[in-house]
């Protein structure tokens, strides 16, 4: 039997407003829980609308009560009221004894799903709805406890060329390979789930060499809304030898949080991308 698409209409088509965090509110995390939708496609002859409305209302009240009872979270009306997460869902009855529940949890600030699951539960009485609510509330709180990804501004990798060979067509080629390095590193870190990559653009970074500016990139990263900044450099020793390095700083304090150096590697410029992805993945993803 195929589940009706009406259970969660346009789950990801809406745009959430940015999260609002009042100054000094560091106690409980705000969670907005929308009323779930309900659809009955069981084709049973009896009209159970009133019973379903009553059970769904009790389900939502218990869900908000259970999540609020955990001191880490506080139910709020919406993102404008300080919600860091939004819970949405729907329940569909497909036969006399089978119901489905679709539940999603959204990180409001990151605009990203942290949970998206489909559950089935048997029965359509008060007891079966209560059991389903207890299970769903535990699942939601487990998803809420998952660490949010770090907002990371990955700046363009820079080239430090000691061969003095980057002129003319060679310089254009170098720029192309550096762009591939930056793009690949951003993709690898973003796909890891540990980081949310913050878009870096504009003229702010073009007028200076970030590797020599003593941490000036952190101020730029903070203005962009990032938690941390990453700068990287490719040091070309010869046409077939190079080293890679990167450094991650806290965007607020400027403290160095991580750094890495590949040591001398063999390979032409087309191998920079592979080496950079391996280095940052080993130090920032696999080692944690």
């Amino acid at each position: 039997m195929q589940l009706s698409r009406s259970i969660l209409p346009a789950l990801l088509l809406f745009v959430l407003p940015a999260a609002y965090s009042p100054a000094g509110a560091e106690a409980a995390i705000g969670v907005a829980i929308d009323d779930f939708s309900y659809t009955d496609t069981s084709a049973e002859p009896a009209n159970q609308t009133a019973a379903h409305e009553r059970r769904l209302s009790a389900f939502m009240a218990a869900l908000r009560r259970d999540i609020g009872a955990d001191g880490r979270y506080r139910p709020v009306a919406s993102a404008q009221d300080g919600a860091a997460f939004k819970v949405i869902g729907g329940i569909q009855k497909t036969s006399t004894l089978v119901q489905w529940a679709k539940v999603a949890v959204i990180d409001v600030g990151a605009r990203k799903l942290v949970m998206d699951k489909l559950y089935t539960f048997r029965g359509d009485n008060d007891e079966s709805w209560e059991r389903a609510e207890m299970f769903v509330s535990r699942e939601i709180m487990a998803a809420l406890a998952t660490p949010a990804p770090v907002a990371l501004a990955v700046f363009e990798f820079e080239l430090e060329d000691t061969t003095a060979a980057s002129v003319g067509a060679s310089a254009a080629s170098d720029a192309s390979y550096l762009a591939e390095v930056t793009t690949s590193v951003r993709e690898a870190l973003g796909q890891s789930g540990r980081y949310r990559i913050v878009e870096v653009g504009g003229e702010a970074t073009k007028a200076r060499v970030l590797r020599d500016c003593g941490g000036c990139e952190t101020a730029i990263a903070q203005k962009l809304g990032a938690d941390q900044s990453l700068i990287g450099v490719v040091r070309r020793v010869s046409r077939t030898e190079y080293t890679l390095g990167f450094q991650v700083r806290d965007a607020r304090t400027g403290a160095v949080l991580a750094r890495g150096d590949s040591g001398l590697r063999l390979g032409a410029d087309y191998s920079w991308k592979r080496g950079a992805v391996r280095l940052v993945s080993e130090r920032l993803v696999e080692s944690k």
Side-chain angles (χ1 to χ4, degrees):
M1 183 176 296
Q2 190 155 8
L3 191 64
S4 170
R5 294 184 179 179
S6 64
I7 189 170
L8 268 184
L11 173 62
L12 294 177
L13 296 183
F14 60 86
V15 178
L16 290 174
Y20 168 68
S21 300
E26 298 179 358
I29 298 172
V31 181
I33 306 173
D34 286 1
D35 286 334
F36 287 11
S37 62
Y38 190 83
T39 306
D40 186 352
T41 57
S42 64
E44 291 181 301
N47 186 338
Q48 302 180 74
T49 300
H52 289 153
E53 289 179 350
R54 175 178 59 81
R55 289 174 182 146
L56 180 61
S57 178
F59 179 99
M60 298 309 304
L63 186 61
R64 294 185 176 104
R65 182 180 64 247
D66 288 349
I67 291 178
D70 187 314
R72 296 172 296 176
Y73 312 111
R74 57 184 177 89
V76 297
S78 67
Q80 285 83 2
D81 298 298
F85 294 93
K86 188 178 183 71
V87 179
I88 59 176
I91 298 174
Q92 180 177 356
K93 182 174 182 179
T94 56
S95 69
T96 302
L97 293 177
V98 178
Q99 302 200 76
W100 296 82
K102 178 75 169 176
V103 183
V105 178
I106 304 164
D107 183 320
V108 175
R111 301 174 184 267
K112 178 180 179 180
L113 280 171
V114 296
M115 170 184 166
D116 183 15
K117 292 186 178 182
L118 180 65
Y119 306 98
T120 182
F121 63 98
R122 296 183 64 80
D124 186 11
N125 54 36
D126 291 351
E127 183 181 1
S128 63
W129 277 75
E130 290 170 4
R131 288 198 306 267
E133 184 281 325
M134 292 172 61
F135 182 82
V136 168
S137 66
R138 289 196 297 267
E139 290 280 286
I140 290 174
M141 284 189 282
L144 292 173
T146 303
V150 175
L152 179 66
V154 179
F155 293 99
E156 299 288 341
F157 271 64
E158 298 174 347
L159 177 63
E160 184 177 319
D161 190 357
T162 61
T163 67
S166 292
V167 294
S170 178
S173 176
D174 291 343
S176 175
Y177 285 121
L178 283 173
E180 289 184 3
V181 170
T182 304
T183 298
S184 298
V185 166
R186 287 172 177 162
E187 289 177 351
L189 293 177
Q191 291 170 4
S192 73
R194 294 183 181 273
Y195 298 96
R196 174 173 61 87
I197 305 304
V198 175
E199 183 177 352
V200 177
E203 301 297 321
T205 64
K206 294 182 180 180
R208 65 191 80 182
V209 178
L210 294 182
R211 66 181 183 273
D212 295 329
C213 73
C216 66
E217 75 279 0
T218 58
I220 302 171
Q222 189 173 27
K223 289 180 180 178
L224 294 171
D227 302 315
Q228 299 175 10
S229 63
L230 183 151
I231 60 171
V233 58
V234 178
R235 303 180 185 89
R236 181 158 55 197
V237 179
S238 71
R239 299 309 298 183
T240 57
E241 295 178 312
Y242 66 95
T243 68
L244 291 161
F246 75 88
Q247 186 167 263
V248 176
R249 290 180 183 265
D250 184 296
R252 184 175 60 86
T253 66
V256 176
L257 303 176
R259 55 164 54 97
D261 197 304
S262 67
L264 188 64
R265 297 180 63 90
L266 297 178
D269 41 16
Y270 55 79
S271 66
W272 296 347
K273 175 178 69 175
R274 183 174 64 253
V277 169
R278 180 175 179 180
L279 178 63
V280 298
S281 296
E282 287 177 349
R283 302 297 174 87
L284 298 180
V285 179
E286 297 169 12
S287 64
K288 295 188 178 183

